[in-house]
PDB file of all heavy atoms in Angstrom:
ATOM      1  N   ASN N 123     -61.879  14.949   7.015  1.00 94.00           N
ATOM      2  CA  ASN N 123     -63.000  15.181   6.101  1.00 94.00           C
ATOM      3  C   ASN N 123     -64.121  15.997   6.723  1.00 94.00           C
ATOM      4  O   ASN N 123     -64.978  16.527   6.010  1.00 94.00           O
ATOM      5  CB  ASN N 123     -63.554  13.848   5.589  1.00 94.00           C
ATOM      6  CG  ASN N 123     -63.002  13.490   4.220  1.00 94.00           C
ATOM      7  OD1 ASN N 123     -62.804  14.361   3.380  1.00 94.00           O
ATOM      8  ND2 ASN N 123     -62.751  12.208   4.000  1.00 94.00           N
ATOM      9  N   THR N 124     -64.137  16.108   8.051  1.00 94.00           N
ATOM     10  CA  THR N 124     -65.154  16.949   8.689  1.00 94.00           C
ATOM     11  C   THR N 124     -64.843  18.431   8.527  1.00 94.00           C
ATOM     12  O   THR N 124     -65.730  19.274   8.702  1.00 94.00           O
ATOM     13  CB  THR N 124     -65.284  16.627  10.192  1.00 94.00           C
ATOM     14  OG1 THR N 124     -64.058  16.965  10.864  1.00 94.00           O
ATOM     15  CG2 THR N 124     -65.592  15.160  10.424  1.00 94.00           C
ATOM     16  N   ILE N 125     -63.593  18.777   8.221  1.00 96.00           N
ATOM     17  CA  ILE N 125     -63.170  20.185   8.115  1.00 96.00           C
ATOM     18  C   ILE N 125     -62.731  20.534   6.696  1.00 96.00           C
ATOM     19  O   ILE N 125     -63.089  21.585   6.161  1.00 96.00           O
ATOM     20  CB  ILE N 125     -62.003  20.483   9.085  1.00 96.00           C
ATOM     21  CG1 ILE N 125     -62.365  20.086  10.517  1.00 96.00           C
ATOM     22  CG2 ILE N 125     -61.628  21.963   9.021  1.00 96.00           C
ATOM     23  CD1 ILE N 125     -63.506  20.857  11.116  1.00 96.00           C
ATOM     24  N   ALA N 126     -61.943  19.688   6.087  1.00 97.00           N
ATOM     25  CA  ALA N 126     -61.394  19.964   4.759  1.00 97.00           C
ATOM     26  C   ALA N 126     -62.477  19.885   3.693  1.00 97.00           C
ATOM     27  O   ALA N 126     -63.461  19.156   3.832  1.00 97.00           O
ATOM     28  CB  ALA N 126     -60.284  18.960   4.441  1.00 97.00           C
ATOM     29  N   LEU N 127     -62.287  20.642   2.624  1.00 97.00           N
ATOM     30  CA  LEU N 127     -63.156  20.467   1.462  1.00 97.00           C
ATOM     31  C   LEU N 127     -63.000  19.058   0.903  1.00 97.00           C
ATOM     32  O   LEU N 127     -63.945  18.471   0.388  1.00 97.00           O
ATOM     33  CB  LEU N 127     -62.807  21.496   0.385  1.00 97.00           C
ATOM     34  CG  LEU N 127     -63.057  22.960   0.736  1.00 97.00           C
ATOM     35  CD1 LEU N 127     -62.609  23.856  -0.407  1.00 97.00           C
ATOM     36  CD2 LEU N 127     -64.524  23.206   1.065  1.00 97.00           C
ATOM     37  N   ARG N 128     -61.775  18.552   1.040  1.00 97.00           N
ATOM     38  CA  ARG N 128     -61.525  17.174   0.629  1.00 97.00           C
ATOM     39  C   ARG N 128     -60.272  16.666   1.339  1.00 97.00           C
ATOM     40  O   ARG N 128     -59.297  17.404   1.482  1.00 97.00           O
ATOM     41  CB  ARG N 128     -61.341  17.088  -0.886  1.00 97.00           C
ATOM     42  CG  ARG N 128     -61.264  15.649  -1.374  1.00 97.00           C
ATOM     43  CD  ARG N 128     -61.323  15.533  -2.872  1.00 97.00           C
ATOM     44  NE  ARG N 128     -61.157  14.136  -3.275  1.00 97.00           N
ATOM     45  CZ  ARG N 128     -60.966  13.749  -4.525  1.00 97.00           C
ATOM     46  NH1 ARG N 128     -60.922  14.636  -5.502  1.00 97.00           N
ATOM     47  NH2 ARG N 128     -60.819  12.465  -4.806  1.00 97.00           N
ATOM     48  N   SER N 129     -60.314  15.431   1.814  1.00 97.00           N
ATOM     49  CA  SER N 129     -59.139  14.765   2.380  1.00 97.00           C
ATOM     50  C   SER N 129     -58.821  13.562   1.505  1.00 97.00           C
ATOM     51  O   SER N 129     -59.704  12.738   1.228  1.00 97.00           O
ATOM     52  CB  SER N 129     -59.406  14.316   3.820  1.00 97.00           C
ATOM     53  OG  SER N 129     -58.299  13.606   4.336  1.00 97.00           O
ATOM     54  N   ILE N 130     -57.568  13.475   1.059  1.00 97.00           N
ATOM     55  CA  ILE N 130     -57.182  12.457   0.085  1.00 97.00           C
ATOM     56  C   ILE N 130     -56.031  11.621   0.648  1.00 97.00           C
ATOM     57  O   ILE N 130     -54.984  12.174   1.006  1.00 97.00           O
ATOM     58  CB  ILE N 130     -56.738  13.106  -1.242  1.00 97.00           C
ATOM     59  CG1 ILE N 130     -57.802  14.087  -1.746  1.00 97.00           C
ATOM     60  CG2 ILE N 130     -56.442  12.043  -2.292  1.00 97.00           C
ATOM     61  CD1 ILE N 130     -57.316  14.992  -2.855  1.00 97.00           C
ATOM     62  N   GLN N 131     -56.211  10.321   0.719  1.00 96.00           N
ATOM     63  CA  GLN N 131     -55.111   9.447   1.112  1.00 96.00           C
ATOM     64  C   GLN N 131     -54.411   8.929  -0.147  1.00 96.00           C
ATOM     65  O   GLN N 131     -55.047   8.478  -1.092  1.00 96.00           O
ATOM     66  CB  GLN N 131     -55.594   8.258   1.937  1.00 96.00           C
ATOM     67  CG  GLN N 131     -54.456   7.397   2.454  1.00 96.00           C
ATOM     68  CD  GLN N 131     -54.925   6.225   3.294  1.00 96.00           C
ATOM     69  OE1 GLN N 131     -55.120   5.132   2.774  1.00 96.00           O
ATOM     70  NE2 GLN N 131     -55.107   6.463   4.596  1.00 96.00           N
ATOM     71  N   VAL N 132     -53.092   8.994  -0.137  1.00 96.00           N
ATOM     72  CA  VAL N 132     -52.266   8.589  -1.279  1.00 96.00           C
ATOM     73  C   VAL N 132     -51.666   7.222  -0.989  1.00 96.00           C
ATOM     74  O   VAL N 132     -50.977   7.038   0.018  1.00 96.00           O
ATOM     75  CB  VAL N 132     -51.160   9.629  -1.539  1.00 96.00           C
ATOM     76  CG1 VAL N 132     -50.179   9.118  -2.579  1.00 96.00           C
ATOM     77  CG2 VAL N 132     -51.765  10.956  -1.951  1.00 96.00           C
ATOM     78  N   ARG N 133     -51.881   6.256  -1.902  1.00 95.00           N
ATOM     79  CA  ARG N 133     -51.379   4.901  -1.701  1.00 95.00           C
ATOM     80  C   ARG N 133     -50.344   4.496  -2.743  1.00 95.00           C
ATOM     81  O   ARG N 133     -49.848   3.373  -2.719  1.00 95.00           O
ATOM     82  CB  ARG N 133     -52.546   3.904  -1.723  1.00 95.00           C
ATOM     83  CG  ARG N 133     -53.531   4.120  -0.580  1.00 95.00           C
ATOM     84  CD  ARG N 133     -54.739   3.214  -0.696  1.00 95.00           C
ATOM     85  NE  ARG N 133     -55.602   3.374   0.481  1.00 95.00           N
ATOM     86  CZ  ARG N 133     -56.013   2.388   1.258  1.00 95.00           C
ATOM     87  NH1 ARG N 133     -55.644   1.139   0.999  1.00 95.00           N
ATOM     88  NH2 ARG N 133     -56.787   2.611   2.280  1.00 95.00           N
ATOM     89  N   SER N 134     -50.038   5.407  -3.672  1.00 95.00           N
ATOM     90  CA  SER N 134     -49.057   5.090  -4.703  1.00 95.00           C
ATOM     91  C   SER N 134     -48.589   6.384  -5.355  1.00 95.00           C
ATOM     92  O   SER N 134     -49.174   7.455  -5.145  1.00 95.00           O
ATOM     93  CB  SER N 134     -49.674   4.181  -5.774  1.00 95.00           C
ATOM     94  OG  SER N 134     -50.660   4.889  -6.508  1.00 95.00           O
ATOM     95  N   GLU N 135     -47.559   6.279  -6.167  1.00 95.00           N
ATOM     96  CA  GLU N 135     -47.068   7.452  -6.896  1.00 95.00           C
ATOM     97  C   GLU N 135     -48.141   8.016  -7.824  1.00 95.00           C
ATOM     98  O   GLU N 135     -48.296   9.238  -7.938  1.00 95.00           O
ATOM     99  CB  GLU N 135     -45.820   7.079  -7.702  1.00 95.00           C
ATOM    100  CG  GLU N 135     -45.250   8.251  -8.485  1.00 95.00           C
ATOM    101  CD  GLU N 135     -44.056   7.847  -9.330  1.00 95.00           C
ATOM    102  OE1 GLU N 135     -43.640   6.674  -9.265  1.00 95.00           O
ATOM    103  OE2 GLU N 135     -43.546   8.713 -10.066  1.00 95.00           O
ATOM    104  N   ILE N 136     -48.895   7.141  -8.477  1.00 96.00           N
ATOM    105  CA  ILE N 136     -49.964   7.597  -9.375  1.00 96.00           C
ATOM    106  C   ILE N 136     -51.037   8.350  -8.594  1.00 96.00           C
ATOM    107  O   ILE N 136     -51.518   9.412  -9.012  1.00 96.00           O
ATOM    108  CB  ILE N 136     -50.575   6.404 -10.132  1.00 96.00           C
ATOM    109  CG1 ILE N 136     -49.562   5.812 -11.104  1.00 96.00           C
ATOM    110  CG2 ILE N 136     -51.834   6.837 -10.887  1.00 96.00           C
ATOM    111  CD1 ILE N 136     -50.031   4.538 -11.792  1.00 96.00           C
ATOM    112  N   GLU N 137     -51.397   7.834  -7.438  1.00 97.00           N
ATOM    113  CA  GLU N 137     -52.401   8.501  -6.616  1.00 97.00           C
ATOM    114  C   GLU N 137     -51.887   9.848  -6.088  1.00 97.00           C
ATOM    115  O   GLU N 137     -52.683  10.762  -5.844  1.00 97.00           O
ATOM    116  CB  GLU N 137     -52.829   7.608  -5.461  1.00 97.00           C
ATOM    117  CG  GLU N 137     -53.691   6.433  -5.901  1.00 97.00           C
ATOM    118  CD  GLU N 137     -54.269   5.659  -4.730  1.00 97.00           C
ATOM    119  OE1 GLU N 137     -54.074   6.094  -3.569  1.00 97.00           O
ATOM    120  OE2 GLU N 137     -54.921   4.629  -4.965  1.00 97.00           O
ATOM    121  N   LEU N 138     -50.591   9.968  -5.916  1.00 97.00           N
ATOM    122  CA  LEU N 138     -50.019  11.246  -5.502  1.00 97.00           C
ATOM    123  C   LEU N 138     -50.293  12.308  -6.571  1.00 97.00           C
ATOM    124  O   LEU N 138     -50.714  13.430  -6.255  1.00 97.00           O
ATOM    125  CB  LEU N 138     -48.509  11.106  -5.270  1.00 97.00           C
ATOM    126  CG  LEU N 138     -47.773  12.379  -4.832  1.00 97.00           C
ATOM    127  CD1 LEU N 138     -48.237  12.827  -3.451  1.00 97.00           C
ATOM    128  CD2 LEU N 138     -46.260  12.133  -4.819  1.00 97.00           C
ATOM    129  N   ALA N 139     -50.066  11.965  -7.822  1.00 97.00           N
ATOM    130  CA  ALA N 139     -50.338  12.902  -8.918  1.00 97.00           C
ATOM    131  C   ALA N 139     -51.818  13.253  -8.964  1.00 97.00           C
ATOM    132  O   ALA N 139     -52.189  14.431  -9.151  1.00 97.00           O
ATOM    133  CB  ALA N 139     -49.887  12.295 -10.238  1.00 97.00           C
TER     134      ALA N 139
END
Side-chain angles (χ1 to χ4, degrees):
N123 262 323
T124 65
I125 306 296
L127 295 178
R128 188 170 176 191
S129 177
I130 308 167
Q131 185 179 93
V132 171
R133 296 175 175 234
S134 68
E135 180 183 357
I136 293 174
E137 288 188 5
L138 180 66

